[in-house]
Amino acid sequence: MFLKSTKEFKDIRALTVTGMFIAVSMVIEKFSINLEFAKINFAFLAIAVIGMLTGPAMGFAAGMICDIVGFLANPTSAFLPVYTLVAGIQGLIYGVCLYRKQEYFQLFGLNEHASLMVRAVIARLLDVAVINLCMNTWLNMHYGFIPKQAFHMAVYTRLAKNLIELLFDIPMLCVLLPAVLLAYRRAFRNNAV
């Protein structure tokens, strides 16, 4: 899977689509809401699409590019490269979970659409658990964005925020991903993805 995904870096179509969804991510990011201990935004949708269409290698690179371009477009605090790495890991998660997986889930009797829904839910849950709750919370505390005295409160706040967001995130993924995949296949007459 990683080898196939690295070949996407040589494909003009994959690079163009990735660039387009990086731009979409930047637009979505502009409408994010910053709270005291959390940030509400839906830019992960563009990263999920990139991961689905181009795989984990391109997803990792696109996640890092989104973080860097987002900082350059809207520098609200200091640039910390470790957050760029975390953004890359987010793209990696979506690429691993969503890229060219149709054949595996057909073994369990699921059709392509159902398997995409299952994989989208798994990818979002991993993103929330690994990135939002663990890595970002710890990094925010480590760099002093969350005071150590308020760490437990921040964890509970972020957990509540992410659980509420999941009520919206999962249906959005389940509607968006099949629609984008269908549009991509029709536009490029490619059923391999």
Side-chain angles (χ1 to χ4, degrees):
M1 175 189 348
F2 287 96
L3 186 58
K4 283 183 185 177
S5 180
T6 56
K7 291 179 183 175
E8 300 285 357
F9 285 102
K10 297 178 184 176
D11 184 4
I12 296 297
R13 174 182 55 199
L15 292 171
T16 303
V17 169
T18 300
M20 181 182 73
F21 278 102
I22 288 172
V24 167
S25 175
M26 294 299 101
V27 171
I28 295 171
E29 187 77 33
K30 280 288 192 189
F31 296 102
S32 64
I33 301 167
N34 286 318
L35 302 175
E36 189 174 346
F37 292 113
K39 180 178 176 182
I40 298 173
N41 92 41
F42 300 102
F44 77 91
L45 292 168
I47 298 299
V49 169
I50 292 168
M52 176 183 69
L53 296 177
T54 61
M58 186 78 81
F60 182 78
M64 292 194 327
I65 291 169
C66 282
D67 186 70
I68 292 167
V69 173
F71 173 77
L72 293 174
N74 190 21
T76 56
S77 63
F79 178 74
L80 297 169
V82 70
Y83 284 101
T84 302
L85 181 62
V86 170
I89 293 170
Q90 180 186 35
L92 181 76
I93 288 171
Y94 286 109
V96 167
C97 291
L98 300 173
Y99 185 60
R100 300 182 191 236
K101 296 283 186 165
Q102 295 81 356
E103 62 273 8
Y104 302 118
F105 282 89
Q106 288 175 352
L107 297 173
F108 300 111
L110 296 175
N111 64 24
E112 181 182 14
H113 184 74
S115 77
L116 184 59
M117 299 304 102
V118 169
R119 292 180 287 115
V121 169
I122 291 169
R124 187 61 188 150
L125 291 174
L126 282 171
D127 180 17
V128 166
V130 173
I131 303 296
N132 295 352
L133 296 178
C134 293
M135 296 177 98
N136 281 340
T137 303
W138 184 83
L139 286 171
N140 286 344
M141 187 195 70
H142 178 74
Y143 286 110
F145 299 124
I146 298 174
K148 291 185 181 182
Q149 301 82 0
F151 179 73
H152 292 310
M153 185 62 185
V155 170
Y156 296 134
T157 303
R158 290 172 70 88
L159 179 61
K161 175 202 91 93
N162 279 283
L163 289 175
I164 292 167
E165 277 186 355
L166 281 174
L167 298 174
F168 301 99
D169 295 351
I170 290 174
M172 283 192 297
L173 276 174
C174 291
V175 170
L176 179 69
L177 293 180
V180 169
L181 187 59
L182 180 65
Y184 183 81
R185 286 178 174 168
R186 285 187 178 171
F188 297 110
R189 306 279 188 257
N190 181 357
N191 290 326
V193 174

